[in-house]
Amino acid sequence: ETGVTQTPRHLVMGMTNKKSLKCEQHLGHNAMYWYKQSAKKPLELMFVYNFKEQTENNSVPSRFSPECPNSSHLFLHLHTLQPEDSALYLCASSQGGYKRGYGYTFGSGTRLTVV
Amino acid sequence: AQKITQTQPGMFVQEKEAVTLDCTYDTSDPSYGLFWYKQPSSGEMIFLIYQGSYDQQNATEGRYSLNFQKARKSANLVISASQLGDSAMYFCAMREDETGANNLFFGTGTRLTVIP
C-alpha cells in the first residue's frame, strides 16, 4: 500500500454509460493529480488540484470531469467515452507547490476498458 | 519535442548482475528535478530515486544509483545486484522547477526482465 487508494481496480463500461473513478489519500498531501497511461505512450497529465482548487487542465475532453471535494479525495467522472479512452488511469498526490525533491505518490490505478 | 527520452524499450539482465537504464532529458530551466519510478505488473508507480539539477553528487538509494551527467543531459539509472523482483517497467521523469512545478514529464519507459 502506497497511501493512495484507487477504486475500482478494473472497470468495463459502454460508450453511453456514466461512471466515476475514485482516489483517496491519507498522507496529508495538498496536491492531487490524474494521469492517463496508454500503451507505448508516456504518461499524460490530465488534471491537477492544489488545495482543492483545479490548477491545471491539460486540454482534456469534456467527457472527463474531475471533482475534488477535499484535499484527501479526488474523483474522475466519465461519460460518453470512446474506445480510445481505454487506458490505465493513475491518481497521484504530493506535498503541493514547489518542494524540492518531492516526487509523487501514486495509486495502483484503474484499468478502464470502453466497449 | 520530447522532454524525456528512454531509448531502450526492453532490457534483460542476469540475476545478481548490474544493469543501466538510459534516460536523456531536454529542458531550458536551470533548476529541475529528475526521478525514476518502477511500475510492476500491479500497476502502481513506485518512487525509486531523485536527483536535483544542482546536486553535486550522484544520488544513491540502496541498490539504485543515478548516473547524472548534466552536460550531456542524461540521468541513467543503475541497478546493482539485480533481483528477480526487479522485473518491471521503469520510468524516468522530470519536473521543471521554474515553469512547471506541478507537472512531472515521463518517458515511455523501459521494461526490465531479470533472468534467473
Side-chain angles (χ1 to χ4, degrees):
Chain A
E1 278 298 324
T2 65
V4 178
T5 304
Q6 288 187 244
T7 54
R9 290 297 307 274
H10 300 274
L11 178 63
V12 179
M13 59 185 290
M15 289 189 283
T16 58
N17 291 158
K18 290 184 179 181
K19 296 285 184 183
S20 296
L21 310 185
K22 179 182 177 182
C23 177
E24 187 173 351
Q25 61 93 4
H26 297 289
L27 300 170
H29 290 168
N30 296 313
M32 297 187 77
Y33 313 82
W34 280 117
Y35 275 86
K36 176 183 178 182
Q37 185 178 23
S38 304
K40 299 181 181 177
K41 292 176 67 176
L43 270 75
E44 303 169 59
L45 179 67
M46 300 176 72
F47 300 104
V48 180
Y49 278 83
N50 273 293
F51 294 93
K52 302 185 300 178
E53 298 296 320
Q54 184 175 313
T55 56
E56 191 154 342
N57 174 341
N58 208 22
S59 302
V60 180
S62 60
R63 57 185 183 270
F64 295 91
S65 174
E67 178 190 0
C68 188
N70 54 61
S71 294
S72 299
H73 294 84
L74 184 65
F75 295 89
L76 187 62
H77 303 299
L78 317 170
H79 65 96
T80 59
L81 294 191
Q82 305 297 311
E84 60 265 27
D85 296 323
S86 299
L88 180 69
Y89 288 84
L90 288 161
C91 173
S93 68
S94 74
Q95 288 292 99
Y98 167 51
K99 291 282 187 181
R100 193 171 172 277
Y102 277 82
Y104 297 175
T105 302
F106 282 85
S108 297
T110 294
R111 175 73 60 186
L112 174 67
T113 303
V114 181
V115 297
Chain B
Q2 279 279 73
K3 288 190 177 287
I4 294 287
T5 302
Q6 294 181 255
T7 57
Q8 305 156 315
M11 289 283 287
F12 291 86
V13 63
Q14 203 75 40
E15 193 178 5
K16 299 179 186 176
E17 298 292 311
V19 64
T20 297
L21 306 183
D22 294 342
C23 172
T24 57
Y25 59 91
D26 182 28
T27 182
S28 55
D29 272 20
S31 178
Y32 50 89
L34 296 159
F35 303 80
W36 276 93
Y37 284 85
K38 172 185 178 181
Q39 187 180 39
S41 56
S42 58
E44 69 186 89
M45 301 282 279
I46 302 168
F47 168 72
L48 296 178
I49 196 166
Y50 166 83
Q51 178 85 42
S53 58
Y54 291 116
D55 293 341
Q56 295 296 314
Q57 293 189 323
N58 288 344
T60 59
E61 290 285 348
R63 295 187 298 111
Y64 304 108
S65 60
L66 201 151
N67 184 1
F68 181 45
Q69 298 187 46
K70 195 170 183 177
R72 297 179 61 184
K73 293 190 174 180
S74 74
N76 298 340
L77 176 70
V78 180
I79 305 174
S80 62
S82 297
Q83 302 171 356
L84 295 178
D86 293 335
S87 294
M89 285 290 291
Y90 288 80
F91 291 91
C92 181
M94 176 179 66
R95 184 194 62 225
E96 295 171 313
D97 294 338
E98 294 190 10
T99 60
N102 281 331
N103 194 359
L104 272 185
F105 297 97
F106 284 84
T108 50
T110 296
R111 181 171 296 282
L112 177 67
T113 303
V114 180
I115 305 166

